[in-house]
Amino acid sequence: MSELETLILHGHYGTPNPLKVMILLEELGLPYKHVQVDITKVKEEPYTQLNPNGRLPTLEDPNTGLVLWESAPIVEYLVDTYDKAGRLTLRSFPESYHLKQFLALQSSGQGPYYGQWVFFARYLPGEAVAIARYKDQLLRVWSVLDKILEGKEYLVGGKCTYADLSFVAWEDGMRVKFPEFGLEKRASEYPNYNAWYQRLIARPAVAKALRINREEMAKAAAK
Ligand SMILES: N[C@@H](CCC(=O)N[C@@H](CS)C(=O)NCC(=O)O)C(=O)O
């Protein structure tokens, strides 16, 4: 991989969707540079020239000329392009579709439910119905995954794939950044889900991405 040019991840430390991509970059051992984008300026030029939707992350890959936003297709792109050995994927039928299914659950279920929960709880704490709705939906996703993970170490095919890894960033963000949500206390009610999450964060590449993210967040907060 040393002949590869450095990939550029436009992100913001402490935010989960860029971290989701960083975890894949670390897992695949790719050379990359994290460009810290001012989160208050993502809806403005020059960032919107890269990503007209004004959200993070965006990936630039000088090796292929691709500019790509939305974390889920970025994850798929990285695996399709750089995981030729299939270390983090399954290319068999039906498993390859089951991986996409779980990635879709993460990006349409887990991520947005967490995101909306945080938004209402932090900025509109009077909106009790909305807060309860997103919390319930998130815990419903936990319970679905807990059942699926009964007697299993990973979601599909008995090995860790990009689908498993895609769930880590939001989970880490919620447990570490927002202890007031009490998720650690609820974890024992979902033992398969929790054991799976602990298994994922024990992976060296995942632990490295989480550590860098935390250290950079702490540095920014100390400024
Ligand atoms: N579906 C998008 C969501 C991206 C997203 O919401 N990113 C957040 C950071 S985690 C962001 O850019 N927030 C700033 C804003 O919305 O203004 C993805 O998966 O990439």
Side-chain angles (χ1 to χ4, degrees), residues 15-18 20 39 42-43 54-57 70-72 107 170:
T15 62
N17 290 302
K20 177 172 149 188
I39 197 116
V42 289
K43 303 281 189 295
R55 293 209 150 180
L56 299 163
E70 284 293 321
S71 60
S107 54
W170 270 101

Side-chain angles (χ1 to χ4, degrees), residues 13-47:
Y13 289 117
T15 62
N17 290 302
L19 178 60
K20 177 172 149 188
V21 173
M22 211 170 123
I23 287 171
L24 257 287
L25 289 163
E26 289 291 344
E27 279 281 350
L28 293 170
L30 292 168
Y32 72 96
K33 178 176 155 198
H34 180 285
V35 173
Q36 178 81 346
V37 180
D38 181 342
I39 197 116
T40 65
K41 299 210 161 59
V42 289
K43 303 281 189 295
E44 297 170 13
E45 292 207 359
Y47 182 70

